[in-house]
Structure formats: structure tokens, C-alpha cells
Amino acid sequence: MRKSFFKLIAKANKAILPSYTKKQLDLSKATKLQLAIIGWRAYVTMNALDEKKTTNW
């Protein structure tokens, strides 16, 4: 259930929020709002892909 919820949010994010990687945004010049959007999208994507809280960085 949780994974499907995050998949739904990920689809909404893709449709609504801007993609800064396509715009080649420089992270050192990003505003706090842009960094927050990037962080939110990363959080949702990680939870949509895998329910486990472990990361293999």
C-alpha cells in the first residue's frame, strides 16, 4: 500500500514539478526552494522504488 502511494505521488511530481536535471541547474546556484524540490523528488523516488529504508550509497 505504501509503495503504491509513493508511486502515485511520483507520477504527480513528474507532471507538476519542474525537472532541474533537464534544465542543467547548477546546485551551487540553486535557491532554497529549488533544493527543497530536488530533495522532495529524491525522497519520493527512493520510497516509490524500494520500501526498505536501507540505501546502497
Side-chain angles (χ1 to χ4, degrees):
M1 164 110 175
R2 182 172 184 226
K3 188 174 182 177
S4 61
F5 174 71
F6 276 105
K7 282 188 177 189
L8 179 68
I9 293 175
K11 286 182 183 182
N13 284 348
K14 188 174 182 179
I16 297 169
L17 297 176
S19 175
Y20 293 119
T21 55
K22 289 180 184 176
K23 295 180 181 180
Q24 297 181 347
L25 175 70
D26 185 9
L27 289 179
S28 64
K29 296 178 182 176
T31 64
K32 289 187 180 190
L33 177 63
Q34 291 170 329
L35 291 173
I37 291 172
I38 291 167
W40 170 252
R41 288 184 68 144
Y43 172 76
V44 170
T45 300
M46 285 190 294
N47 282 292
L49 293 176
D50 196 291
E51 272 191 14
K52 297 177 186 174
K53 289 295 178 183
T54 59
T55 56
N56 295 326
W57 300 43

